[in-house]
Structure formats: structure tokens, C-alpha cells
Short mmCIF file of all heavy atoms in Angstrom, two decimals:
data_model
loop_
_atom_site.label_atom_id
_atom_site.label_comp_id
_atom_site.label_asym_id
_atom_site.label_seq_id
_atom_site.Cartn_x
_atom_site.Cartn_y
_atom_site.Cartn_z
N ASP A 1 14.95 19.78 16.77
CA ASP A 1 15.50 18.46 16.71
C ASP A 1 16.13 18.06 18.03
O ASP A 1 16.24 16.92 18.36
CB ASP A 1 16.50 18.44 15.59
CG ASP A 1 15.93 18.59 14.24
OD1 ASP A 1 14.85 18.15 13.96
OD2 ASP A 1 16.64 19.20 13.39
N SER A 2 16.45 19.10 18.76
CA SER A 2 17.11 18.87 20.07
C SER A 2 16.67 19.98 21.04
O SER A 2 15.89 20.81 20.70
CB SER A 2 18.67 18.80 19.94
OG SER A 2 19.10 19.97 19.32
N ALA A 3 17.24 19.99 22.22
CA ALA A 3 16.87 21.08 23.17
C ALA A 3 17.17 22.38 22.67
O ALA A 3 18.16 22.63 21.99
CB ALA A 3 17.62 20.80 24.49
N PRO A 4 16.30 23.36 22.90
CA PRO A 4 16.59 24.72 22.46
C PRO A 4 17.77 25.35 23.10
O PRO A 4 18.21 24.93 24.18
CB PRO A 4 15.28 25.50 22.82
CG PRO A 4 14.69 24.70 23.97
CD PRO A 4 15.01 23.32 23.68
N VAL A 5 18.34 26.31 22.50
CA VAL A 5 19.46 27.03 23.06
C VAL A 5 18.94 28.35 23.63
O VAL A 5 18.40 29.15 22.94
CB VAL A 5 20.57 27.29 21.98
CG1 VAL A 5 21.68 28.17 22.61
CG2 VAL A 5 21.04 26.04 21.36
N ILE A 6 19.11 28.50 24.96
CA ILE A 6 18.55 29.63 25.58
C ILE A 6 19.61 30.43 26.34
O ILE A 6 20.48 29.78 27.07
CB ILE A 6 17.47 29.21 26.60
CG1 ILE A 6 16.38 28.33 25.97
CG2 ILE A 6 16.76 30.44 27.32
CD1 ILE A 6 15.45 27.66 26.94
N ALA A 7 19.69 31.70 26.22
CA ALA A 7 20.79 32.50 26.88
C ALA A 7 20.60 32.38 28.34
O ALA A 7 19.53 32.21 28.93
CB ALA A 7 20.64 33.99 26.46
N PRO A 8 21.75 32.42 29.05
CA PRO A 8 21.73 32.22 30.52
C PRO A 8 20.80 33.22 31.17
O PRO A 8 20.73 34.37 30.87
CB PRO A 8 23.23 32.54 30.88
CG PRO A 8 24.00 32.14 29.68
CD PRO A 8 23.13 32.55 28.51
N GLY A 9 20.01 32.70 32.13
CA GLY A 9 19.08 33.55 32.89
C GLY A 9 17.76 33.68 32.32
O GLY A 9 16.78 34.09 33.05
N ILE A 10 17.56 33.42 31.08
CA ILE A 10 16.28 33.61 30.38
C ILE A 10 15.40 32.35 30.62
O ILE A 10 15.94 31.21 30.59
CB ILE A 10 16.44 33.86 28.93
CG1 ILE A 10 17.15 35.22 28.71
CG2 ILE A 10 15.09 33.85 28.18
CD1 ILE A 10 17.39 35.54 27.23
N ILE A 11 14.15 32.56 30.94
CA ILE A 11 13.21 31.48 31.12
C ILE A 11 12.28 31.45 29.92
O ILE A 11 11.71 32.40 29.55
CB ILE A 11 12.42 31.70 32.41
CG1 ILE A 11 13.30 31.82 33.61
CG2 ILE A 11 11.33 30.54 32.62
CD1 ILE A 11 12.59 32.27 34.90
N ALA A 12 12.19 30.26 29.30
CA ALA A 12 11.46 30.11 28.05
C ALA A 12 10.36 29.12 28.17
O ALA A 12 10.57 28.02 28.88
CB ALA A 12 12.39 29.76 26.91
N ASN A 13 9.24 29.27 27.51
CA ASN A 13 8.13 28.30 27.52
C ASN A 13 7.41 28.32 26.17
O ASN A 13 6.93 29.46 25.76
CB ASN A 13 7.26 28.54 28.69
CG ASN A 13 6.09 27.62 28.69
OD1 ASN A 13 6.19 26.39 28.82
ND2 ASN A 13 4.84 28.13 28.61
N TRP A 14 7.16 27.23 25.55
CA TRP A 14 6.26 27.16 24.39
C TRP A 14 4.90 26.59 24.91
O TRP A 14 4.85 25.64 25.61
CB TRP A 14 6.80 26.11 23.38
CG TRP A 14 7.77 26.62 22.40
CD1 TRP A 14 9.09 26.36 22.36
CD2 TRP A 14 7.47 27.45 21.29
NE1 TRP A 14 9.70 26.96 21.29
CE2 TRP A 14 8.70 27.66 20.56
CE3 TRP A 14 6.30 28.07 20.80
CZ2 TRP A 14 8.84 28.49 19.43
CZ3 TRP A 14 6.49 28.87 19.62
CH2 TRP A 14 7.68 29.01 18.96
N ALA A 15 3.84 27.28 24.49
CA ALA A 15 2.51 26.82 24.67
C ALA A 15 2.01 26.52 23.25
O ALA A 15 1.76 27.44 22.49
CB ALA A 15 1.59 27.91 25.36
N THR A 16 1.79 25.27 22.93
CA THR A 16 1.42 24.86 21.60
C THR A 16 0.18 23.93 21.62
O THR A 16 0.29 22.72 21.33
CB THR A 16 2.54 24.12 20.95
OG1 THR A 16 2.92 23.01 21.74
CG2 THR A 16 3.76 24.98 20.81
N PRO A 17 -0.95 24.51 21.99
CA PRO A 17 -2.22 23.71 22.02
C PRO A 17 -2.48 23.05 20.65
O PRO A 17 -2.76 23.77 19.68
CB PRO A 17 -3.25 24.66 22.44
CG PRO A 17 -2.72 26.00 22.11
CD PRO A 17 -1.27 25.86 22.25
N GLU A 18 -2.50 21.81 20.64
CA GLU A 18 -2.77 21.00 19.39
C GLU A 18 -1.76 21.21 18.28
O GLU A 18 -1.85 20.50 17.23
CB GLU A 18 -4.18 21.24 18.90
CG GLU A 18 -5.29 20.75 19.86
CD GLU A 18 -6.64 20.86 19.26
OE1 GLU A 18 -6.80 20.67 18.12
OE2 GLU A 18 -7.56 21.17 20.04
N SER A 19 -0.88 22.18 18.46
CA SER A 19 0.22 22.23 17.55
C SER A 19 1.33 21.39 18.00
O SER A 19 1.29 20.89 19.11
CB SER A 19 0.80 23.67 17.38
OG SER A 19 -0.15 24.59 17.07
N SER A 20 2.29 20.95 17.18
CA SER A 20 3.18 19.93 17.61
C SER A 20 4.47 19.98 16.81
O SER A 20 4.53 20.60 15.74
CB SER A 20 2.54 18.49 17.48
OG SER A 20 2.29 18.23 16.19
N VAL A 21 5.48 19.32 17.38
CA VAL A 21 6.68 19.16 16.64
C VAL A 21 6.57 17.81 15.92
O VAL A 21 6.33 16.78 16.50
CB VAL A 21 7.92 19.14 17.61
CG1 VAL A 21 9.15 18.77 16.90
CG2 VAL A 21 8.08 20.48 18.33
N GLN A 22 6.74 17.88 14.60
CA GLN A 22 6.59 16.67 13.76
C GLN A 22 7.71 16.48 12.81
O GLN A 22 8.40 17.47 12.56
CB GLN A 22 5.27 16.73 12.93
CG GLN A 22 4.00 16.79 13.70
CD GLN A 22 2.77 16.80 12.79
OE1 GLN A 22 2.88 16.39 11.65
NE2 GLN A 22 1.68 17.22 13.28
N PRO A 23 7.91 15.31 12.33
CA PRO A 23 9.01 15.15 11.24
C PRO A 23 8.58 15.96 10.03
O PRO A 23 7.42 16.12 9.76
CB PRO A 23 8.94 13.57 10.97
CG PRO A 23 8.31 12.98 12.19
CD PRO A 23 7.31 14.00 12.77
N VAL A 24 9.52 16.47 9.32
CA VAL A 24 9.26 17.28 8.16
C VAL A 24 8.73 16.40 7.02
O VAL A 24 8.32 16.86 5.95
CB VAL A 24 10.51 18.03 7.67
CG1 VAL A 24 10.89 19.08 8.66
CG2 VAL A 24 11.62 17.17 7.34
N GLN A 25 8.69 15.03 7.21
CA GLN A 25 8.16 14.14 6.17
C GLN A 25 8.95 14.42 4.86
O GLN A 25 10.19 14.37 4.83
CB GLN A 25 6.66 14.27 6.12
CG GLN A 25 5.98 14.04 7.43
CD GLN A 25 4.44 14.25 7.31
OE1 GLN A 25 3.81 13.71 6.35
NE2 GLN A 25 3.88 14.99 8.21
N GLY A 26 8.21 14.60 3.81
CA GLY A 26 8.89 14.83 2.51
C GLY A 26 9.14 16.27 2.24
O GLY A 26 9.41 16.62 1.10
N PHE A 27 9.10 17.10 3.24
CA PHE A 27 9.28 18.59 3.03
C PHE A 27 10.75 18.84 2.74
O PHE A 27 11.59 18.85 3.63
CB PHE A 27 8.84 19.32 4.30
CG PHE A 27 8.48 20.75 3.98
CD1 PHE A 27 7.20 21.13 3.61
CD2 PHE A 27 9.44 21.76 4.00
CE1 PHE A 27 6.83 22.42 3.40
CE2 PHE A 27 9.09 23.04 3.72
CZ PHE A 27 7.76 23.42 3.43
N THR A 28 11.04 19.01 1.48
CA THR A 28 12.46 18.96 1.01
C THR A 28 13.03 20.39 0.94
O THR A 28 14.09 20.55 0.37
CB THR A 28 12.56 18.28 -0.38
OG1 THR A 28 11.72 18.91 -1.24
CG2 THR A 28 12.19 16.80 -0.25
N ALA A 29 12.37 21.44 1.46
CA ALA A 29 12.90 22.78 1.31
C ALA A 29 14.26 22.90 2.03
O ALA A 29 14.45 22.32 3.10
CB ALA A 29 11.85 23.79 1.96
N ALA A 30 15.14 23.56 1.39
CA ALA A 30 16.52 23.72 1.96
C ALA A 30 16.40 24.28 3.36
O ALA A 30 15.75 25.29 3.57
CB ALA A 30 17.32 24.63 1.03
N GLY A 31 17.17 23.73 4.20
CA GLY A 31 17.11 24.24 5.66
C GLY A 31 16.19 23.53 6.58
O GLY A 31 16.44 23.40 7.77
N PHE A 32 15.10 23.02 6.06
CA PHE A 32 14.14 22.24 6.88
C PHE A 32 14.80 20.81 6.95
O PHE A 32 15.08 20.22 6.00
CB PHE A 32 12.75 22.12 6.17
CG PHE A 32 11.92 23.33 6.40
CD1 PHE A 32 12.04 24.35 5.44
CD2 PHE A 32 10.96 23.43 7.33
CE1 PHE A 32 11.25 25.52 5.59
CE2 PHE A 32 10.22 24.57 7.51
CZ PHE A 32 10.32 25.65 6.62
N SER A 33 14.90 20.38 8.29
CA SER A 33 15.37 19.02 8.40
C SER A 33 14.94 18.49 9.79
O SER A 33 14.54 19.26 10.67
CB SER A 33 16.95 19.05 8.43
OG SER A 33 17.40 19.89 9.49
N GLY A 34 14.96 17.18 9.86
CA GLY A 34 14.50 16.53 11.10
C GLY A 34 13.08 16.87 11.41
O GLY A 34 12.17 16.44 10.73
N ASN A 35 12.84 17.61 12.55
CA ASN A 35 11.56 17.99 12.92
C ASN A 35 11.28 19.53 12.74
O ASN A 35 12.26 20.32 12.65
CB ASN A 35 11.32 17.66 14.41
CG ASN A 35 11.49 16.21 14.66
OD1 ASN A 35 11.00 15.34 13.95
ND2 ASN A 35 12.22 15.82 15.74
N PHE A 36 10.05 19.93 12.67
CA PHE A 36 9.74 21.31 12.77
C PHE A 36 8.38 21.48 13.56
O PHE A 36 7.71 20.51 13.80
CB PHE A 36 9.67 21.92 11.38
CG PHE A 36 8.52 21.47 10.46
CD1 PHE A 36 8.24 22.21 9.30
CD2 PHE A 36 7.75 20.32 10.70
CE1 PHE A 36 7.22 21.79 8.45
CE2 PHE A 36 6.76 19.93 9.84
CZ PHE A 36 6.49 20.68 8.69
N LEU A 37 8.18 22.74 14.04
CA LEU A 37 6.94 23.04 14.72
C LEU A 37 5.86 23.33 13.65
O LEU A 37 6.06 24.14 12.76
CB LEU A 37 7.15 24.25 15.62
CG LEU A 37 5.98 24.70 16.37
CD1 LEU A 37 5.55 23.70 17.48
CD2 LEU A 37 6.18 26.01 17.05
N THR A 38 4.70 22.63 13.74
CA THR A 38 3.73 22.74 12.75
C THR A 38 2.33 22.70 13.35
O THR A 38 2.11 22.08 14.35
CB THR A 38 3.92 21.77 11.62
OG1 THR A 38 2.87 21.85 10.71
CG2 THR A 38 3.93 20.36 12.26
N SER A 39 1.39 23.29 12.67
CA SER A 39 -0.03 23.20 12.98
C SER A 39 -0.64 22.04 12.23
O SER A 39 -1.80 21.69 12.35
CB SER A 39 -0.73 24.48 12.64
OG SER A 39 -0.75 24.70 11.21
N PHE A 40 0.16 21.38 11.33
CA PHE A 40 -0.38 20.31 10.53
C PHE A 40 -0.98 19.17 11.38
O PHE A 40 -0.28 18.70 12.29
CB PHE A 40 0.72 19.75 9.58
CG PHE A 40 0.22 18.72 8.67
CD1 PHE A 40 -0.50 19.05 7.52
CD2 PHE A 40 0.56 17.34 8.85
CE1 PHE A 40 -0.93 18.09 6.65
CE2 PHE A 40 0.06 16.40 7.98
CZ PHE A 40 -0.70 16.73 6.89
N SER A 41 -2.11 18.66 11.01
CA SER A 41 -2.79 17.63 11.79
C SER A 41 -3.60 16.76 10.80
O SER A 41 -4.13 17.32 9.75
CB SER A 41 -3.61 18.24 12.84
OG SER A 41 -4.46 17.20 13.47
N HIS A 42 -3.77 15.60 11.11
CA HIS A 42 -4.64 14.68 10.33
C HIS A 42 -6.08 14.91 10.74
O HIS A 42 -7.03 14.44 10.04
CB HIS A 42 -4.24 13.21 10.46
CG HIS A 42 -2.91 12.93 9.88
ND1 HIS A 42 -2.64 13.02 8.46
CD2 HIS A 42 -1.73 12.65 10.39
CE1 HIS A 42 -1.40 12.68 8.26
NE2 HIS A 42 -0.85 12.46 9.42
N SER A 43 -6.32 15.73 11.78
CA SER A 43 -7.66 15.99 12.25
C SER A 43 -8.30 17.02 11.26
O SER A 43 -7.55 17.89 10.65
CB SER A 43 -7.60 16.52 13.63
OG SER A 43 -8.86 17.11 14.00
N THR A 44 -9.62 17.02 11.22
CA THR A 44 -10.23 18.08 10.35
C THR A 44 -10.60 19.32 11.16
O THR A 44 -11.14 20.29 10.68
CB THR A 44 -11.54 17.50 9.73
OG1 THR A 44 -12.37 17.06 10.86
CG2 THR A 44 -11.27 16.32 8.80
N SER A 45 -10.25 19.29 12.44
CA SER A 45 -10.48 20.44 13.32
C SER A 45 -9.70 21.61 12.87
O SER A 45 -8.46 21.50 12.60
CB SER A 45 -10.16 20.07 14.74
OG SER A 45 -10.27 21.20 15.55
N ALA A 46 -10.29 22.81 12.92
CA ALA A 46 -9.63 24.01 12.46
C ALA A 46 -9.04 24.70 13.70
O ALA A 46 -8.41 25.72 13.55
CB ALA A 46 -10.62 24.99 11.82
N SER A 47 -9.19 24.12 14.92
CA SER A 47 -8.67 24.78 16.07
C SER A 47 -7.25 24.26 16.32
O SER A 47 -6.75 23.38 15.65
CB SER A 47 -9.59 24.35 17.31
OG SER A 47 -9.52 22.89 17.52
N GLY A 48 -6.61 24.88 17.30
CA GLY A 48 -5.33 24.44 17.71
C GLY A 48 -4.19 24.78 16.74
O GLY A 48 -3.27 24.03 16.58
#
């Protein structure tokens, strides 16, 4: 939902080809809120 928290000195990088951060939509599971990282896509492609 916001910038990640990274310990001082550590260098972090996400590589998320075709995966994305999306709104949780109607995903009402406790703890899920705002956005999440997901492979969900409206594309029929099985890649990414």
C-alpha cells in the first residue's frame, strides 16, 4: 500500500514480470487490505 520498509544498508528489488500490485477488490480475508501483489490478470495468458 506504501513504500516497503527496508533495514538500513540493504538493497531490495522486486522483479514482477506481468505480475502486479492490484487492489484487493472484494477480497475480504482478514488482514488483506488496500493492495496486494498478485498474478491475477484479465489476460488468458498463463505466463508472467
Side-chain angles (χ1 to χ4, degrees):
D1 296 322
S2 55
V5 177
I6 307 171
I10 294 177
I11 302 170
N13 179 62
W14 272 109
T16 56
E18 294 185 37
S19 300
S20 61
V21 174
Q22 296 184 20
V24 296
Q25 301 178 48
F27 203 91
T28 57
F32 283 86
S33 62
N35 300 316
F36 67 167
L37 179 67
T38 176
S39 66
F40 183 75
S41 169
H42 293 291
S43 168
T44 58
S45 170
S47 63

